[in-house]
Amino acid sequence: MQRERVADDVFVFTSDLYAQVTAGVVVTSEGAVVIDTLAYPEETLAMRRFIENRLGTSVRYVINTHYHADHTTGTCFFKGARVVAHARCRTLLDTRGRGSLQKVKASAPEMRDVELVLPDIVFPDGAISLHVGNKTFNMWSTPGHSSDSIVCLIKEDRILFAADTIMPVPFFVDGSYDEMVASLQSLRNGNYENVIQGHGEIVLRGEVEERLQSDIDYLMALREAVDQALVGTSPERALEAIDIESCGKSRILLNGMAAQLHRQNVMTLAAQRREIMPLSS
Ligand SMILES: [Zn+2]
């Protein structure tokens, strides 16, 4: 696990064990706020030790940016904290999350102490502000990666925890392509000091706009390539041939996982486009 201090009171933790997933800790004058947890208990517990022993404080709130297990399984290690999320995050954790946790616990002994925690403060589509001591957490819905995705801006520091709305490769397989594009567009011109993506390296101030453009360009190129493949004579072969580089992203991102994510994007988008495109003759 890597730890970086991005502002006086803001820390980012990045997993060495699972897909460079990130989590944040913001220290306020009235305790700490955790934004997402890490996928494996040992890393979330190391984060907690840092908060308690090194920062000398305790966690009052945990924010779940969306229900996916790699971001939420550690919530249970912050007993007594209130948990904030989108309303759909609670529903999805209670259904899909509950089912997949049971399966994971049965096959992975290191996950045996994980318990499902449902958020107790939820908000519908739109925005909410949480005031804790001297810090303000502005959260709003940014569907696309998943229907319950939110981002969280630390207002005083202008640090945006973008979660999986910004990943090295935009990934919408559990969400919606159109909403992904719209959510990325909506993050433009935000004047952020740093953007913490859900996986991978921190995006620095000077790189943010270029990065959003690159993500939107990828999605545009992907749609064009998929549409072209679908009207050709052998669509399956043409879809197979759409590689990540031809859509403008590098395959080495996320230690090579990017190419797999891209492949899933291609198949998901092809299925969606087939439904709305007229059949070719
Ligand atoms: Zn994730």
Side-chain angles (χ1 to χ4, degrees), residues 75-108:
T75 307
C76 62
F77 299 113
F78 299 102
K79 290 247 180 322
R82 310 289 303 267
V83 183
V84 186
H86 192 286
R88 271 193 296 277
C89 177
R90 181 182 163 101
T91 312
L92 288 162
L93 275 172
D94 203 12
T95 50
R96 291 186 210 172
R98 193 177 288 282
S100 56
L101 179 60
Q102 265 167 8
K103 274 187 218 146
V104 168
K105 284 177 85 159
S107 62

Side-chain angles (χ1 to χ4, degrees), residues 18 21 66 68 70-71 145 164 167 198-199:
Y18 181 77
V21 69
H66 62 302
H68 291 166
D70 49 338
H71 302 260
H145 173 73
D164 286 0
M167 284 177 64
H199 297 259

Side-chain angles (χ1 to χ4, degrees), residues 2 13 49 66 76 84 93 96 132 156 159 162 191 204 209 223 266:
Q2 314 293 318
F13 296 79
R49 279 195 300 277
H66 62 302
C76 62
V84 186
L93 275 172
R96 291 186 210 172
V132 188
E156 289 73 15
I159 291 171
N191 192 27
L204 305 175
E209 293 307 318
R223 189 173 65 189
V266 170

Side-chain angles (χ1 to χ4, degrees), residues 212-227:
L212 286 167
Q213 189 59 54
S214 145
D215 287 357
I216 293 164
D217 288 348
Y218 164 81
L219 290 168
M220 294 299 148
L222 178 70
R223 189 173 65 189
E224 205 172 302
V226 165
D227 283 357

